[in-house]
């Protein structure tokens, strides 16, 4: 008797990973508030359209909303589970992707984009920045945040031969560094690399600042907050404010 042919097992994709409800989809409050304050100061007139691309569960946009009162904030994500949760916090949510057919918005349709903790998850960040540039008019604002490869503690960890915090070598478990939570980081940036990348992608960098990281052990949090203010290039989180360059 011929044994039955085993059913092929399809390996999980990155989209499967992010559709998993157990994968974190929220950003930290300090970086969200810093981004919102910077953007609010850059949008003096009400009525701007702000896209929160990679909005996750919507808590970051909800945290920023009081500082962006008078502007229309639209949450965008590719995860249906994240959008379901985001709809409890945001009046407008849209499913969209930065790859394939691009975002479901016309060219130049947005005045500003919040792009928080997304770029480190992307296979093709170059095409993603092209698409963000497309939906912004010349002078439109991009508020981007991402973990800092050169965070003050990562410099010490590398000297000790330890994998840096935020870096991941597997989607199944953490290996070789502190922490246990897998979040799917594929790319990591230093302040210098982020500035050069944004400039090469058609943006003028207004400034890069820092923010603390909620995962730092409690006794070290005062130092982390100090580094975020005094030495942004060594901060846990990088916050970039850029504007689409005219003619790019």
């Amino acid at each position: 008797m011929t044994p039955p042919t085993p059913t092929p097992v399809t390996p999980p994709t990155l989209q499967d990973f992010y559709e998993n409800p157990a994968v974190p989809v929220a950003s930290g409050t300090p970086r969200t508030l810093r981004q919102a304050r910077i953007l609010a100061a850059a949008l003096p007139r009400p009525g701007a359209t702000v896209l929160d691309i990679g909005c996750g569960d919507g808590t970051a946009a909800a945290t920023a909303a009081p500082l962006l009162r008078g502007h229309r904030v639209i949450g965008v994500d590719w995860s249906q589970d994240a959008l379901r949760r985001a709809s409890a916090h945001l009046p407008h949510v849209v499913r969209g992707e930065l790859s394939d057919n691009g975002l479901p918005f016309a060219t130049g349709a947005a005045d500003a984009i919040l792009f928080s903790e997304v770029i480190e998850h992307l296979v093709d960040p170059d095409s993603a920045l092209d698409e963000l540039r497309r939906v912004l008019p010349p002078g439109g604002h991009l508020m981007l945040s991402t973990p800092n490869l050169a965070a003050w503690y990562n410099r010490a960890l590398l000297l000790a031969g330890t994998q840096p915090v935020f870096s991941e070598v597997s989607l199944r478990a953490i290996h070789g560094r502190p922490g246990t939570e897998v979040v799917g980081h594929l790319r990591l940036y230093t302040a210098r690399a982020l500035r050069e990348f944004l400039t090469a992608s058609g943006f003028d960098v207004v400034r890069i600042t820092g923010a603390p990281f909620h995962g730092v052990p409690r006794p070290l949090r005062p130092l982390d907050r100090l580094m975020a203010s005094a030495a942004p290039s060594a901060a846990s989180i990088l916050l970039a404010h850029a504007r689409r360059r005219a003619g790019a």
Side-chain angles (χ1 to χ4, degrees):
M1 180 176 179
T2 305
T5 303
T7 303
V9 177
T10 303
T13 65
L14 275 177
Q15 185 154 1
D16 295 328
F17 177 80
Y18 291 115
E19 290 284 9
N20 182 351
V23 174
V25 290
S27 297
T29 298
R31 77 198 76 162
T32 298
L33 291 174
R34 290 191 184 203
Q35 275 189 310
R37 290 189 188 103
I38 294 170
L39 183 56
L43 295 171
R45 294 188 300 274
T49 296
V50 180
L51 305 181
D52 183 5
I53 297 179
C55 66
D57 62 7
T59 55
T63 300
L67 296 170
L68 298 173
R69 195 169 283 118
H71 303 300
R72 185 183 185 217
V73 180
I74 302 174
V76 184
D77 208 290
W78 76 345
S79 168
Q80 295 285 17
D81 180 74
L83 288 175
R84 179 184 57 78
R85 288 182 274 170
S87 63
H89 302 287
L90 297 171
H92 309 287
V93 295
V94 176
R95 190 176 190 280
E97 300 185 25
L98 288 164
S99 56
D100 298 329
N101 295 323
L103 296 167
F105 301 100
T107 298
D111 300 290
I113 289 173
L114 293 169
F115 201 52
S116 302
E117 320 303 303
V118 177
I119 198 168
E120 65 270 16
H121 298 269
L122 300 180
V123 174
D124 186 0
D126 301 276
S127 295
L129 266 289
D130 289 344
E131 181 64 0
L132 297 186
R133 191 178 68 248
R134 181 189 70 79
V135 299
L136 285 171
H141 300 274
L142 172 63
M143 305 299 304
L144 183 154
S145 68
T146 190
N148 184 9
L149 176 60
W152 58 275
Y153 39 81
N154 279 347
R155 301 181 189 207
L157 289 172
L158 278 170
L159 285 174
T162 301
Q163 188 83 9
V165 174
F166 308 124
S167 65
E168 295 178 347
V169 299
S170 169
L171 290 178
R172 297 177 181 175
I174 293 299
H175 301 288
R177 71 156 173 85
T180 59
E181 191 173 66
V182 178
V183 293
H185 289 174
L186 304 178
R187 310 271 180 181
L188 287 177
Y189 298 80
T190 64
R192 178 176 178 178
L194 183 60
R195 180 181 293 274
E196 291 184 4
F197 178 53
L198 288 170
T199 300
S201 300
F203 292 89
D204 292 321
V205 177
V206 178
R207 63 170 169 162
I208 293 180
T209 58
F213 174 50
H214 63 274
V216 169
R218 189 174 298 275
L220 297 176
R221 289 178 187 176
L223 176 58
D224 193 41
R225 289 193 294 269
L226 174 64
M227 296 301 290
S229 300
S233 64
S236 287
I237 306 296
L238 299 172
L239 303 180
H241 175 202
R243 303 188 73 173
R244 181 191 160 181
R245 188 181 309 125

